[in-house]
Amino acid sequence: MQAALGGLAAALPGEDDPRRLELRRWLEAHPSPSPRQLAERGLVAPHWPPPWGLGADATEQLLVDDELRRAGVRRPDNPIGIGWAGPTLLHAGSEEQKARYLLPMLAGEEIWCQLFSEPDAGSDLASLATRAEPDGDEWVVRGRKVWTSYAHRARFGILLARTEPEAEAHQGISYFVCPMDAPGVEVRPLVDMTGTHTFNEVLLDEVRLPAGSLVGARGQGWSLARVTLANERVSLSTGGALWGMGPTAADLVEAVRAQGGVGDALLRQRLARLWSEGEVLGLLRLRTLAAVLAGSVPGPEASVRKALADAHGQHLMDLARDLSGAEGMLLGAARNGPAPWSDAGWAYGFLFSPALTIGGGTAEVQRNIIAERTLGLPRDPAPAGTAAGRAGSLRTGTG
Ligand SMILES: Cc1cc2nc3c(=O)[nH]c(=O)nc-3n(C[C@H](O)[C@H](O)[C@H](O)COP(=O)(O)OP(=O)(O)OC[C@H]3O[C@@H](n4cnc5c(N)ncnc54)[C@H](O)[C@@H]3O)c2cc1C
């Protein structure tokens, strides 16, 4: 681990790198930059091309991350916009779409959501039933989406709808930008078992979208959906166990140390196993990062890492609950109970953790993809009634 970390640090440009110095001068002149200033300076997504980003390679991106962290500057929060919708618009959007949407997206002024999943189309996303029919120079959309994170806060959604119903499976799907305040869009809250309202059901009842809402060519939405789902930013996130957020295995070990250790031999073994898992995942993450820094595309270790990391998050939260004793079963007790379990992050994390192996492609789907694309095993036969059961048509990304 130390060697890998050392190698990574050596790959980062030094303190006198001109890009560092220029950025430090700008940060001195803007000690508390507004989200808009960060966006206009290209610092929110430095790997995007100018004028939205800096056209930064992975090394410069890490350098910018490093400088912003040292300066205590936080980027605007708009995960689906900046993480997935933006890269897809950069890939296939018209100049008008880029000019209209990208800057407010980067500044976090307009939040985005992802209108992909439907009640009968999740893993098998290509079997989606929402329809968009042309009517003059508009599209009329009818359908129902579900699990739409942030739909209640979003100004726009990226929407997949079928425009050629007679076409096969993933043919005939188109990709749109849908204003969430358009007449006919109804957002119904879904409160998950953490007690939090993050995702929603979204009804689309004769929603009229102007012709300019179509992204890319009509009927080519599936290839754009794959761009959206495959997009992940190189980030130096803390590697928290809840999709990069939240506490880590090392945090749990620290919490136990602070409590004076744990006497139970089985709990100690689980803690040691968890710590080892965390180290292995850390190394896999560094390997991916080092590959990117060296200019190569991340290989199968990225899919393997997701499959392992999601289960690891659940192991971590299960153990935190067990270590917290009987009080760990009560959310309120965990919030108000003795330190370190008084930190609500553990109780929330435990209740959120089942979602880790569902969202972003389920654990089973991840394994199908690893089996087919990495190990070269025979394809999953398409189950009856699905658009396609093989990895090429299965959902592979976050959301
Ligand atoms: C926290 C969270 C946030 C989300 N946010 C969004 C969002 O913002 N936008 C959005 O569009 N969606 C979102 N989703 C939905 C998510 O993408 C889907 O839940 C996921 O793709 C699984 O689809 P499903 O729920 O329909 O399950 P299904 O696809 O019905 O799967 C049910 C079970 O069958 C298994 N299964 C399915 N196909 C296969 C196969 N071929 N081989 C083996 N097993 C299989 C699955 O692994 C699973 O165990 C979110 C989900 C979560 C948990």
Side-chain angles (χ1 to χ4, degrees):
M1 183 73 151
Q2 284 307 319
L5 274 172
L8 194 65
L12 274 182
E15 293 296 314
D16 56 349
D17 184 278
R19 292 166 299 182
R20 271 197 200 278
L21 299 178
E22 193 189 328
L23 185 49
R24 282 182 194 165
R25 278 194 293 277
W26 187 83
L27 286 166
E28 271 164 35
H30 304 83
S32 304
S34 67
R36 184 42 80 147
Q37 284 173 323
L38 285 169
E40 285 175 346
R41 179 64 174 70
L43 297 175
V44 178
H47 57 301
W48 289 15
W52 301 286
L54 304 172
D57 59 14
T59 311
E60 188 176 359
Q61 201 184 326
L62 292 170
L63 181 152
V64 172
D65 286 357
D66 192 32
E67 288 300 322
L68 292 185
R69 196 175 35 237
R70 287 189 201 192
V73 172
R74 286 195 53 179
R75 291 185 165 111
D77 197 24
N78 193 1
I80 291 175
I82 299 168
W84 296 283
T88 312
L89 289 174
L90 283 170
H91 176 77
S94 65
E95 290 312 311
E96 291 75 25
Q97 288 170 337
K98 292 181 205 172
R100 165 62 189 86
Y101 299 125
L102 294 182
L103 201 57
M105 174 192 285
L106 288 167
E109 293 160 3
E110 292 176 343
I111 302 297
W112 286 64
C113 65
Q114 186 185 48
L115 297 155
F116 282 17
S117 299
E118 298 183 3
D120 293 318
S123 303
D124 186 28
L125 185 58
S127 65
L128 60 88
T130 293
R131 291 278 305 273
E133 290 175 60
D135 182 23
D137 56 2
E138 290 182 323
W139 294 92
V140 182
V141 183
R142 296 178 186 87
R144 189 167 151 219
K145 299 288 177 177
V146 75
W147 317 127
T148 318
S149 305
Y150 315 120
H152 53 303
R153 295 172 46 211
R155 173 84 179 84
F156 295 105
I158 39 176
L159 166 74
L160 289 184
R162 194 165 290 287
T163 44
E164 270 73 29
E166 66 289 344
E168 259 187 69
H170 47 275
Q171 309 292 330
I173 292 173
S174 297
Y175 195 112
F176 296 91
V177 171
C178 176
M180 295 303 287
D181 59 357
V185 176
E186 187 189 340
V187 178
R188 296 181 176 171
L190 293 171
V191 176
D192 66 33
M193 72 185 193
T194 65
T196 313
H197 169 204
T198 309
F199 48 37
N200 304 270
E201 180 183 20
V202 178
L203 305 186
L204 303 161
D205 181 17
E206 310 226 349
V207 178
R208 300 190 85 83
L209 300 178
S213 312
L214 180 68
V215 183
R218 174 176 174 170
Q220 299 302 308
W222 183 251
S223 57
L224 293 190
R226 293 188 67 169
V227 173
T228 301
L229 297 174
N231 240 294
E232 278 195 61
R233 285 169 51 194
V234 177
S235 112
L236 279 185
S237 69
T238 57
L242 305 173
W243 289 332
M245 297 168 288
T248 62
D251 292 331
L252 186 62
V253 171
E254 276 314 309
V256 169
R257 267 207 192 106
Q259 256 194 337
V262 54
D264 183 285
L266 286 178
L267 286 177
R268 261 206 322 273
Q269 277 177 13
R270 280 174 66 192
L271 198 58
R273 197 177 311 133
L274 189 85
W275 187 84
S276 310
E277 269 181 18
E279 290 300 291
V280 170
L281 283 165
L283 283 170
L284 280 176
R285 183 165 143 266
L286 286 176
R287 192 189 277 181
T288 309
L289 216 51
V292 172
L293 282 173
S296 58
V297 177
E301 68 272 9
S303 331
V304 173
R305 187 178 183 276
K306 171 160 172 52
L308 295 176
D310 290 346
H312 172 70
Q314 293 175 348
H315 299 161
L316 170 62
M317 295 303 163
D318 284 356
L319 184 55
R321 176 209 51 198
D322 292 346
L323 284 164
S324 69
E327 282 146 355
M329 289 187 285
L330 301 171
L331 183 62
R335 276 200 179 126
N336 304 318
W341 314 115
S342 51
D343 176 356
W346 292 111
Y348 173 84
F350 172 69
L351 291 175
F352 182 81
S353 61
L356 295 173
T357 46
I358 302 173
T362 67
E364 292 76 15
V365 164
Q366 290 302 322
R367 279 163 176 71
N368 276 351
I369 290 166
I370 292 167
E372 292 180 22
R373 297 201 192 147
T374 306
L375 302 177
L377 294 177
R379 286 183 160 179
D380 182 21
T386 63
R390 52 200 170 76
S393 283
L394 287 174
R395 181 186 208 104
T396 59
T398 300

